[in-house]
Amino acid sequence: MIRQSISERPDWREKATEFGFQFHTMYGEPYWCEDAYYQFTLAQIEELEETTAELHQMCLQVVDLVVENEELLAKFRIPKHCWEFVRTSWRTRQPSLYSRLDLAYDGKSPAKLLENNADTPTSLYESAFFQWLWLEDQINAGKLPANADQFNSLQEKLIDRFTELKNNHGFGLLHMACCQDSVEDRGTVQYLQDCALEAGLPNEFLFMEDIGLGEKGQFTDLHDQVISNLFKLYPWEFMMRDIFSTKLEDAGVRWLEPAWKSIISNKALLPTLWKMFPNHPNLLPSYFAEDNHPPLDRFVVKPLFSREGANIRIVDNGQEIASADGPYGEEGMIVQQFHPLPMFGDSYTLIGSWLVNDQPAGIGLREDRSLITQDLSRYYPHIILD
């Protein structure tokens, strides 16, 4: 795994505009970067693929355990009035679309799971589409070898999955939603809309704020049309605390992601995995902060519901060496053994490993000069070259 410098495509900003990549620069800072790329061997990619598949299956075993255990449901801070809703979504095997595991990996040692973005993973458009476009353009320009490849079957697998949802799971019109205040989320949902249309699955967009409640307790769109299938780029932990959460069970909606994802998108997953699979080579020792646990010299404190690195603290021998602000923490914390991300130049690099329909589907890489990867951390493309 090496980081290589390369000249940017002279027209990439125009291409980004042409293809609807509106968030390549955020708050005046570059988000998409292509002055360098990461190079992997095929053996390294195969290792990441196998690790991702195994970790995902372990996470599904956690769901199996938690839905049948009221003590754990409480420990995961799932509101009691949603327990049966979550249970039913798992027992009836409600289908999922995608997930992203965040891994620390240097190409030499086993990858370590840092967390699971199983409910509202972002950076999908840039992983599935824009980095593939970069690869093709740079090969055509002679800047990369003709045999350079990429671990990236995301778009193909997403279209196949939407086709399955339509043909095998009876999905009709799919409403797709996110919040009004995020250009990135809107871009991600627009990309998924395009994939669904490619699969022949009709869809309509609306903002989460515009979802209404009909007379019969069903959720409706702005045209008072009943919502039967809903993809939402909106966290379950927010929905389950909303005023309408008591209606979730009876609304008759099939959700993407399904409610059982509220278990594995939760940092409580990490101590539960460690207890179920102690000393697994791809896991880090992790514990609920309120429980008695072995002392850790270097550890990370993570709120159960934190996103984009918010409210995370890193402690080294009693000294806080990094922290990020945010709105989380009241729900409870976990502690995880600190495992530094590999460093390239002056930046730390994180791998997001994607799954579609439970199958590994590609990776995306993020860089930050801070030890904590956050929402504005830079995105870099990758290639496979032996």
Side-chain angles (χ1 to χ4, degrees), residues 59-325:
C59 290
L60 296 183
Q61 290 183 56
V62 170
V63 183
D64 224 18
L65 175 74
V66 173
V67 293
E68 305 300 341
N69 187 312
E70 292 189 354
E71 185 182 343
L72 281 172
L73 284 165
K75 202 95 165 149
F76 276 63
R77 303 297 191 266
I78 293 171
K80 196 167 185 177
H81 68 273
C82 294
W83 287 0
E84 198 54 39
F85 173 60
V86 174
R87 264 193 207 114
T88 301
S89 75
W90 179 246
R91 287 173 180 166
T92 58
R93 292 300 187 264
Q94 289 297 301
S96 73
L97 180 63
Y98 69 149
S99 294
R100 190 190 80 233
L101 304 181
D102 282 351
L103 304 174
Y105 181 65
D106 61 4
K108 304 177 196 124
S109 311
K112 300 290 187 182
L113 177 67
L114 300 181
E115 60 184 69
N116 188 350
N117 297 275
D119 181 24
T120 58
T122 47
S123 76
L124 179 68
Y125 169 85
E126 46 275 41
S127 296
F129 179 76
F130 208 69
Q131 72 165 340
W132 184 261
L133 188 67
W134 166 87
L135 176 71
E136 290 184 327
D137 286 349
Q138 295 290 45
I139 290 173
N140 291 336
K143 300 285 181 62
L144 288 173
N147 62 332
D149 201 357
Q150 196 172 83
F151 179 28
N152 188 0
S153 59
L154 271 162
Q155 183 160 301
E156 175 191 336
K157 282 189 166 70
L158 285 165
I159 293 167
D160 287 349
R161 183 54 167 162
F162 280 124
T163 303
E164 273 186 42
L165 293 173
K166 176 172 67 85
N167 295 339
N168 302 343
H169 296 274
F171 270 62
L173 176 67
L174 178 63
H175 283 82
M176 305 184 84
C178 68
C179 287
Q180 287 177 343
D181 57 359
S182 173
V183 177
E184 183 184 1
D185 286 4
R186 182 65 190 98
T188 300
V189 175
Q190 180 61 61
Y191 175 66
L192 283 167
Q193 285 183 261
D194 293 343
C195 290
L197 281 177
E198 188 77 20
L201 182 59
N203 60 77
E204 286 185 16
F205 178 80
L206 79 165
F207 287 112
M208 292 297 299
E209 293 87 345
D210 292 333
I211 295 175
L213 193 64
E215 290 177 7
K216 297 179 181 176
Q218 297 161 308
F219 294 121
T220 56
D221 64 15
L222 286 170
H223 307 292
D224 292 328
Q225 185 174 211
V226 170
I227 296 171
S228 300
N229 308 291
L230 180 63
F231 170 87
K232 44 95 198 156
L233 201 64
Y234 187 73
W236 272 117
E237 64 267 18
F238 292 177
M239 289 183 70
M240 289 176 178
R241 284 157 179 78
D242 191 277
I243 191 169
F244 295 116
S245 62
T246 54
K247 309 292 184 186
L248 287 169
E249 198 170 349
D250 300 322
V253 177
R254 279 189 299 189
W255 302 90
L256 291 174
E257 293 299 306
W260 56 263
K261 285 289 192 85
S262 62
I263 293 171
I264 55 174
S265 61
N266 183 320
K267 304 296 187 301
L269 166 75
L270 300 167
T272 312
L273 277 172
W274 184 250
K275 190 170 184 180
M276 289 177 72
F277 305 98
N279 302 310
H280 189 282
N282 302 118
L283 296 177
L284 293 166
S286 303
Y287 308 95
F288 288 100
E290 71 264 24
D291 292 352
N292 289 324
H293 58 80
L296 298 170
D297 291 336
R298 307 174 79 204
F299 59 90
V300 185
V301 183
K302 298 181 176 182
L304 299 191
F305 300 150
S306 170
R307 290 168 187 277
E308 304 284 12
N311 298 100
I312 284 176
R313 296 188 302 116
I314 301 175
V315 178
D316 186 351
N317 289 302
Q319 297 295 312
E320 184 174 284
I321 59 171
S323 65
D325 295 331

